[in-house]
Each structure stands twice: as structure tokens, then as C-alpha cells.
Amino acid sequence: MKNEIHELLENHDAFARQIANAKLANLSFNVYEHWENRERIQIILAERNQFDSMQEAFSAIFKKELFIQEEWDTIEEPDPTDEEWLTALENIWINEYFPRDDPYEHVFIELINDDFVSSFKRILYKVNAAERIISGVNQLRAIRVKKGHLYEYIFGQTHSQYFLFQWAICT
């Protein structure tokens, strides 16, 4: 898991192409968001059987996040061969979301500890996720992809889902 995602983050050209090839209109996601005071939690889940590989899943879920965060309409999703789109992904958007030289936000990949499983389960209950999603958390594998002082970004998989979990304190 670590190596596959690290490989994507190190090769922006390949990552951009994976992102561009993910057709959001053909994929289904469950998106949960929870605000409490200044704390924000967002979880994007996708069924594993929609993807041929973990890299493909990570790229598609990142694309979904990008469209949500930037408030873009998925109906206007660029063509995967659009060179301007590929260049923007490679040179702007990947760097924006996965900065290499930001002293407050670090892109690194590490396995998460077992404490995350119980806290993730509590969060899924809090956002009213389906019981089948919550029960799948027991076989969770996850990696922390980014961590800042007030931010955490975790990608993982259960027996049936890939997910992206984000936690942040919004100022």
C-alpha cells in the first residue's frame, strides 16, 4: 500500500494521467462531511470493485475530492486527453494538494496505528454511515499520506471499500 501510493506521488505525470482517466460520472462515491466547532471531517468512500488497482482508486478518490473542494461541476469534467487539463493537474493541482516544500504540511507515507480503527468507527457512526461500511472497518488497512499541524489525510481500504479520510481544524 505504502509503495503504490508513494510511487504515484513521486511521478506527477503518471498520477495526472491516472486522475484524468478516472471518469467520475461512471463511478459512485459516498461522501460524508461533519463540522463541529472548527473541526471538519470529510470521508469519501468508493466500492473497491470499481477499480483495477489501488493507484486507480487513490487517483479517482483524489479527483472526487478535487472536484468537491474546488466546487467544480462533474458534468464539465475535462476529457482525459486534454493536454491543458493534464498539465494543470501535474503542475498545479497535485502540488497544491500534495506540497513537497511546505513547512506546515508534510507529504509522507506511513502506516497508521490501531488507534485509528476505533476512532474511525466512531466517526462513521457520527456521520451516519451505513452499517455495512462501519462493520467493514475491522479489516482496515490505512496509510497517513499527509499531516500538518492542523490537518490529517489518510487513505485506506476495508474488505469492500477504499476511503479517504480528512480531518482539519479550520481557522
Side-chain angles (χ1 to χ4, degrees):
M1 178 179 256
K2 283 175 59 174
N3 293 340
E4 291 163 290
I5 303 308
H6 179 73
E7 184 180 302
L8 263 185
L9 294 175
E10 289 298 309
N11 185 342
H12 286 191
D13 178 58
F15 191 21
R17 291 189 186 286
Q18 284 268 8
I19 295 165
N21 286 327
K23 187 78 174 143
L24 296 179
N26 297 339
L27 299 168
S28 64
F29 301 90
N30 290 314
V31 180
Y32 300 97
E33 194 166 81
H34 180 75
W35 286 87
E36 195 169 308
N37 299 320
R38 294 184 348 197
E39 181 181 35
R40 177 182 172 263
I41 293 169
Q42 182 183 51
I43 303 166
I44 302 173
L45 295 129
E47 295 288 331
R48 283 180 63 174
N49 62 8
Q50 297 181 98
F51 307 102
D52 293 331
S53 71
M54 184 177 297
Q55 288 183 342
E56 186 180 305
F58 183 80
S59 300
I61 292 171
F62 171 67
K63 185 175 187 179
K64 178 68 174 176
E65 178 201 9
L66 185 61
F67 272 69
I68 290 169
Q69 299 302 327
E70 301 303 323
E71 299 178 356
W72 296 338
D73 189 346
T74 56
I75 294 170
E76 299 171 11
E77 189 174 347
D79 185 270
T81 60
D82 181 337
E83 285 300 320
E84 189 176 333
W85 170 236
L86 288 166
T87 300
L89 285 169
E90 185 175 348
N91 297 327
I92 299 169
W93 296 111
I94 293 171
N95 290 325
E96 178 74 23
Y97 282 76
F98 300 100
R100 293 177 187 221
D101 300 323
D102 187 332
Y104 300 107
E105 191 171 8
H106 305 286
V107 174
F108 62 94
I109 300 178
E110 67 177 5
L111 295 173
I112 56 121
N113 61 32
D114 292 337
D115 295 339
F116 177 73
V117 174
S118 58
S119 66
F120 190 52
K121 243 183 182 173
R122 283 192 308 276
I123 291 164
L124 287 170
Y125 277 114
K126 190 182 279 192
V127 298
N128 296 315
E131 185 59 41
R132 70 175 182 76
I133 293 170
I134 296 168
S135 65
V137 171
N138 293 332
Q139 287 101 31
L140 175 118
R141 287 182 46 216
I143 55 173
R144 180 175 291 110
V145 180
K146 262 191 338 187
K147 185 169 179 64
H149 296 296
L150 304 172
Y151 189 85
E152 191 164 39
Y153 193 96
I154 294 173
F155 174 75
Q157 67 182 25
T158 67
H159 70 282
S160 63
Q161 305 271 325
Y162 285 110
F163 68 87
L164 177 65
F165 168 82
Q166 295 177 72
W167 168 87
I169 299 293
C170 300
T171 55

